[in-house]
Structure formats: C-alpha cells, structure tokens
C-alpha cells in the first residue's frame, strides 16, 4: 500500500527544516558577487553623503534673512563636483553643480531654472526656504549603521550600496554543489535524431538554467539508463561529489522507475508523493552524505516542483534568509468548476482592466507536459485542494519572475 499523500505545506516544512546552511565562506571582489549570499552583516564605516552637497545644478546662497532677501547676489565663485569652494559671506552666491560640496556660509541652493545671472549678478525668482536642495551629511547612511544583513542574496542595488560605503570586497557563502541526473531510456538530447518513442530532454536544460541562476555549481551526469544498477551507480557517484543530488524522472511507481529503491539502498527517503498538481511524485531524502531531491519527469511538473519546493530548500542551504515567494491577491478571469483533491498550481497570465485591476487569465491546457503554458504565462495561481473558482473571485498569484531569478 502506498503511504498517504503529504500536503504541500508539510512537504515544504520538511524540506526547510532539513536545509542546514553551508558554513564555508569566501571573500570576493564586490564586482564578482552578484547573486551570492552575504555571509556577514555589512556595517558602514562612513557617513553617506560624506559632506553636505548640492542636490541641483544651480546657485548656493548665503542668506542672512529669508524674509528680506537682497534683490541681487554677486556670484563670487564656481564650484564643480569634486571641488571645494571658499566660504560665502552673507548676501553672496556661488555657481554650484550637483554633488559639489556646500561652501561654508551657504544655507540654501536655488536651481538654475529659478535664477538669472547677468554680468555676475544673480536674480532669484520666487521664495527660497532654509536648507532647500541641500543633501546633508549622513542623511542616507550614518557611520556604524548596518546597511546589509547576513543572508542577503546580493542584487545589483545591494552591491552598489556596498560600493557607496567604500567596500571593495564582500564575504559570501560558498557555492552549493548540485549534481543533476536524468532517468529514462526515452530521453534524447536536442541535436540528435529523435528515435521512435523518444522525447527530447528539455528538463536537463530547464534545471541546469534554474540552478545556474541560483548561483549553484552544477555537475551534470546526463541521462542514466533505466536499470537498477545504473541508477544506483549514478546516484552514488553524484553523492560523493556534491552537496545535493537532484534526479529527474524515475520517482513514480512504474516498473522502470528505479530511483526510489536506489535511494533506499544508498541512504534514506524521507518524503515521497506530495498532494500537489502538477508534481505529485516528488521525493526527498539523502544518498550517503548528500541531500537528495527527486523531481517528476513531466516537464511542467519538474519545473513547478523545483521552483516551489527545491528552490527554497537550496536557497536556505546557501544561507539565504529570504527564500519563499510572495503571493498577491488578484481577480480570477476564469472559471474552475472541477477542482482536484490536491493543491493545484495553475498557469496564468495577468491582464489589467480599465481600472488598472489585475485579472488572471488561464492557459487553456493545464497538462503537466505542456511547457508552452509556462512560456505563455507569467505566474501561477495557488489553489487550495478542493477549491472551485468563478470568474471574479479573488485568487492567490505567484509571479514566475520571483521563482526563476
């Protein structure tokens, strides 16, 4: 008898509780850390900005009384970015450019569009308020402030922030080594003739790309023949050389599905068969000292189980603290009158009505082998088990962009 299907939430929780972060770290130039996980909090040693500076191209003014401004200001100097000007006396002005240091005595900057300079005399149009258009020292970051937490997956803006406080190197977690293997005698590599009964191995390309975008070191062991010995040998080799082994196919209940038995002989299987659609035959356990994730062979099932279950596990193993996708409510633009007993993930595309409200449109063929649904769509509707939908209902949407970056 097969064990009862495990709920999606319980399966995800089981994966995450077993996702112990790797401890090895490496210090790299900041130009080389995109997508890596920050190992230590980053604390700024400087103020940003480091000095008061102009937020505009215009004129720096020294005003003694904002209620009784002089009709004209003599322009005494020109201050470009990177230059340091001389102090201004009350009633004087300086031509100044964006980012240039504010000279002593200046208490306001007027943008050039609101001024007129003729023969070194400046006329200001309109009212001027104290401190306008002056960026104050430390208004963005003060010395001693944590600017990036440990566990941050470094995006371009994070790296720019590190550079803005003068950091040229960052300590990041080591990359996770992941071994990939694929089972099925029917699998054929693109570029080769397709034999009778054969299919091209699209999963190899999808999973390799997804793992690469996560920043994993990917070791690809290719297609494994559908025999018990070949499956055991491939799993053992991959486990010896990687932190995590991911197989695709062979975790169902067919006579040629050898992965489950091979994992049992080399380690232990903790999860098998999840109450989700697509993607029921997902497995999790260990092979020797490596973690093991067995994905289903159908292309959409493989993709969705990877992004929703394997990806959070891998990110947590890599040391990331933000590893779960956000869900947002949107309006259903479809009917779903016959729900499944399992939790369903429907492929949809968002459109917007005249009022700007997001409406999810359903791809007409939700089959687990229909990869066109993932290319056409931009997200998934997370539908609880047994829940029907009528057009206009609120449903939970996950953007694919969150799941593949």
């Amino acid at each position: 008898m097969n064990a009862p299907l495990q709920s999606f939430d319980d399966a995800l929780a089981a994966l995450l509780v077993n996702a112990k972060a790797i401890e090895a770290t490496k210090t790299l130039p900041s130009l080389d850390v995109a997508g890596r996980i920050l190992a230590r909090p980053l604390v700024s040693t400087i103020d940003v900005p480091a000095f008061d500076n102009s937020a505009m191209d215009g004129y720096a003014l020294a005003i003694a009384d904002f209620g009784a401004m002089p009709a004209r200001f003599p322009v005494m100097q020109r201050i470009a970015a990177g230059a340091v000007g001389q102090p201004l006396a009350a009633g004087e002005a300086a031509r100044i450019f964006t980012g240039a240091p504010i000279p002593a005595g200046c208490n306001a900057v007027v943008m050039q569009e609101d001024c007129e300079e003729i023969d070194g005399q400046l006329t200001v149009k309109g009212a001027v308020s104290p401190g306008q258009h002056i960026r104050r020292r430390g208004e963005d970051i003060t010395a001693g402030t944590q600017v990036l937490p440990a566990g941050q997956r470094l995006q371009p803006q994070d790296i720019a922030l590190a550079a803005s406080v003068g950091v040229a190197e960052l300590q990041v977690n080591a990359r996770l080594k992941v071994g990939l293997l694929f089972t099925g005698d029917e699998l054929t590599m693109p570029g080769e003739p397709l034999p009778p009964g054969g299919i091209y191995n699209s999963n190899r390309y999808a999973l390799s790309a997804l793992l690469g975008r996560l920043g994993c070191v990917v070791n690809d062991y290719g297609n494994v023949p559908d025999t018990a010995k070949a499956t055991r040998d491939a799993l053992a080799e991959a486990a010896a050389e990687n932190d995590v082994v991911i197989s695709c196919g062979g975790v169902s209940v067919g006579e040629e599905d050898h992965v489950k038995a091979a994992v049992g002989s080399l380690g232990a299987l903790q999860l098998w068969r999840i109450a989700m659609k697509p993607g029921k035959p997902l497995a999790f356990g260990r092979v020797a000292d490596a973690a093991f994730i067995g994905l289903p062979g159908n292309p959409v099932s493989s993709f969705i189980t990877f992004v929703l279950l394997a990806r959070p596990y891998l990110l947590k193993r890599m040391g990331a603290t933000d590893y779960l996708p956000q869900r947002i409510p949107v309006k259903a633009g479809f009917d779903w009158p016959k729900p499944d007993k399992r939790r369903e993930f429907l492929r949809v595309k968002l459109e917007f009505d005249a009022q700007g409200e997001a409406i999810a449109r359903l791809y007409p063929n939700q089959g687990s082998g229909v990869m066109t649904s993932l290319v056409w769509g931009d997200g998934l509707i997370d539908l609880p088990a047994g829940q029907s939908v009528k057009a206009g209902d609120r449903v939970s949407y996950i953007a694919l962009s969150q799941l593949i970056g």
Side-chain angles (χ1 to χ4, degrees):
M1 293 288 290
N2 290 327
L5 298 183
Q6 191 146 13
S7 75
F8 175 86
D9 287 335
D10 286 348
L12 179 59
L15 281 162
L16 294 177
V17 79
N18 284 283
K20 306 302 181 187
I22 53 179
E23 297 180 357
T25 65
K26 190 172 186 178
T27 299
L28 294 175
S30 298
L31 288 172
D32 299 331
V33 298
R36 301 293 288 267
I37 307 299
L38 188 65
R40 301 286 182 270
L42 179 62
V43 176
S44 177
T45 60
I46 65 170
D47 293 330
V48 180
F51 48 84
D52 292 356
N53 68 87
S54 178
M56 297 284 178
D57 290 343
Y59 292 85
L61 306 180
I63 301 173
D65 183 356
F66 281 85
M69 280 181 29
R72 292 181 179 82
F73 294 82
V75 180
M76 308 301 295
Q77 57 185 306
R78 181 180 185 275
I79 309 172
V84 177
Q86 299 300 312
L88 292 177
E92 293 181 340
R95 181 75 166 107
I96 197 166
F97 296 88
T98 302
I102 296 296
C106 168
N107 51 12
V109 171
V110 181
M111 59 183 178
Q112 59 193 19
E113 294 88 341
D114 294 335
C115 302
E116 184 178 28
E117 181 185 353
I118 300 175
D119 297 330
Q121 297 293 313
L122 183 73
T123 302
V124 179
K125 307 169 188 175
V128 180
S129 57
Q132 75 176 32
H133 304 317
I134 296 176
R135 300 181 183 131
R136 296 300 182 186
R137 175 176 179 168
E139 72 173 34
D140 184 12
I141 300 167
T142 56
T145 299
Q146 178 180 300
V147 292
L148 292 172
Q152 182 91 347
R153 189 169 177 224
L154 294 165
Q155 304 298 323
Q157 61 269 32
D158 302 319
I159 300 167
L161 183 60
S164 76
V165 298
V167 174
E169 295 181 329
L170 289 168
Q171 189 175 7
V172 295
N173 289 341
R175 297 173 72 189
L176 198 67
K177 291 187 291 184
V178 180
L180 267 182
L181 55 94
F182 304 85
T183 65
D185 287 341
E186 74 279 11
L187 297 177
T188 303
M189 287 302 295
E192 298 176 0
L194 193 63
I199 60 170
Y200 286 121
N201 187 358
S202 62
N203 288 331
R204 188 174 188 180
Y205 290 79
L207 295 175
S208 181
L210 287 165
L211 288 165
R213 294 186 73 166
L214 283 179
C216 299
V217 176
V218 182
N219 295 311
D220 188 339
Y221 295 86
N223 296 354
V224 178
D226 269 336
T227 69
K229 183 180 185 306
T231 303
R232 280 196 306 271
D233 290 348
L235 285 171
E237 180 185 3
E241 299 172 348
N242 295 278
D243 303 301
V244 180
V245 177
I246 296 179
S247 74
C248 188
V251 292
S252 192
V253 294
E255 292 180 3
E256 299 300 321
D257 295 330
H258 302 291
V259 172
K260 182 184 178 186
V263 172
S265 68
L266 297 169
L269 200 61
Q270 295 172 241
L271 287 176
W272 181 55
R273 303 175 73 239
I274 313 302
M276 62 182 293
K277 183 181 181 181
K280 179 174 69 174
L282 177 129
F284 175 73
R286 63 176 179 83
V287 175
D289 293 327
F292 169 77
I293 299 174
L295 303 176
N298 280 319
V300 175
S301 299
S302 173
F303 188 97
I304 288 181
T305 51
F306 179 90
V307 297
L308 293 177
L309 291 167
R311 183 180 187 273
Y313 169 83
L314 294 171
L315 282 172
K316 191 176 178 188
R317 284 289 307 271
M318 293 161 62
T321 53
D322 184 11
Y323 42 77
L324 295 176
Q326 299 297 310
R327 291 160 167 79
I328 61 171
V330 299
K331 184 187 290 186
F334 60 91
D335 294 324
W336 194 252
K338 296 180 179 180
D340 199 89
K341 294 180 180 178
R342 294 171 286 167
R343 187 160 172 178
E344 296 181 274
F345 294 92
L346 308 177
R347 280 83 76 197
V348 299
K349 178 190 289 186
L350 290 190
E351 297 177 355
F352 294 87
D353 63 17
Q355 289 71 45
E357 184 171 13
I359 300 174
R361 303 297 184 191
L362 190 71
Y363 193 76
N365 187 342
Q366 293 287 316
S368 60
V370 184
M371 277 301 291
T372 48
S373 64
L374 287 169
V375 175
W376 173 89
D378 56 24
L380 305 173
I381 294 301
D382 182 356
L383 196 61
Q387 180 173 313
S388 60
V389 175
K390 291 183 179 179
D393 288 350
R394 291 287 172 181
V395 287
S396 181
Y397 171 86
I398 308 170
L400 278 179
S401 59
Q402 290 189 85
L403 301 173
I404 62 175

